[in-house]
Amino acid sequence: MLSTLYIFEFILYDNSIHKTDNKAIISINHKKQIKITFNLLIITTNHIYIGAVYIMSGLIGGSIGFGLSIILRLELALPGFIPCSSLQYNANITFHGIFMISSMIMPILIGGFGNILLPLMPCSSDMIFPRLNALSL
C-alpha cells in the first residue's frame, strides 16, 4: 500500500452573505478540503485526473528538456565550456528535439487536454471505456 502523498490540496470555502444595514458582509462558514493523493491518481478512472497526470508528466519531461536546452545554449554562448565533440553536440540537439516532442508536447496536448476536454465537448460524463483510458496511462 502506498503512503498518502498529497499532490494537490484544494480548499473550497462556502461563502454566505449576511446583509446588515445595507452592507453585504461575507462570512466564511466552514471549509471543505479536497485532497488528491498519489493513490487516487494511479487507480482512478476519472478522465480529468488522468489528464492531470498526463500534464504533470509532460511538465516533468519539459523540465528535463529545458535542462538540455540550457546545455546547448551554454555551449553556444561560451565555446569550449562543455568539453564535447561536434558529433556529441549534434546528438544532443537531436536528443533534445525528440525528447521535447515525445515527453512534453505529446503528453500535454494529446493525453492531457484530450482526456480533459474531449469528454466535455459532447457533454458526456466520462469516456466510453474508462478502464481502458486508465490503462493507457
Side-chain angles (χ1 to χ4, degrees), residues 33-50:
Q33 292 184 355
I34 302 171
K35 295 181 179 179
I36 300 173
T37 62
F38 185 71
N39 295 345
L40 179 68
L41 291 178
I42 295 300
I43 63 171
T44 187
T45 58
N46 188 355
H47 64 95
I48 295 177
Y49 290 159
I50 293 172

Side-chain angles (χ1 to χ4, degrees), residues 3-132:
S3 64
T4 304
L5 173 67
Y6 294 116
I7 306 287
F8 297 115
E9 182 175 350
F10 299 106
I11 299 174
L12 303 176
Y13 293 103
D14 286 340
N15 296 331
S16 63
I17 298 175
H18 300 288
K19 292 185 178 180
T20 58
D21 299 331
N22 295 327
K23 295 178 183 177
I25 300 172
I26 298 174
S27 65
I28 298 172
N29 290 337
H30 60 281
K31 63 181 181 178
K32 297 177 185 176
Q33 292 184 355
I34 302 171
K35 295 181 179 179
I36 300 173
T37 62
F38 185 71
N39 295 345
L40 179 68
L41 291 178
I42 295 300
I43 63 171
T44 187
T45 58
N46 188 355
H47 64 95
I48 295 177
Y49 290 159
I50 293 172
V53 172
Y54 270 113
I55 289 173
M56 284 189 294
S57 65
L59 292 177
I60 291 169
S63 63
I64 294 170
F66 179 72
L68 288 171
S69 72
I70 293 298
I71 292 172
L72 294 173
R73 291 170 193 269
L74 277 174
E75 182 63 32
L76 287 175
L78 305 167
F81 182 73
I82 299 171
C84 64
S85 66
S86 61
L87 184 64
Q88 290 172 338
Y89 181 76
N90 288 338
N92 197 7
I93 288 177
T94 305
F95 179 67
H96 163 73
I98 291 173
F99 189 80
M100 286 295 278
I101 290 172
S102 64
S103 296
M104 184 184 147
I105 304 297
M106 300 291 278
I108 288 177
L109 290 181
I110 295 174
F113 293 132
N115 272 312
I116 292 172
L117 296 177
L118 282 179
L120 299 177
M121 285 180 186
C123 298
S124 65
S125 61
D126 202 357
M127 303 288 267
I128 295 174
F129 300 113
R131 298 256 182 225
L132 186 63

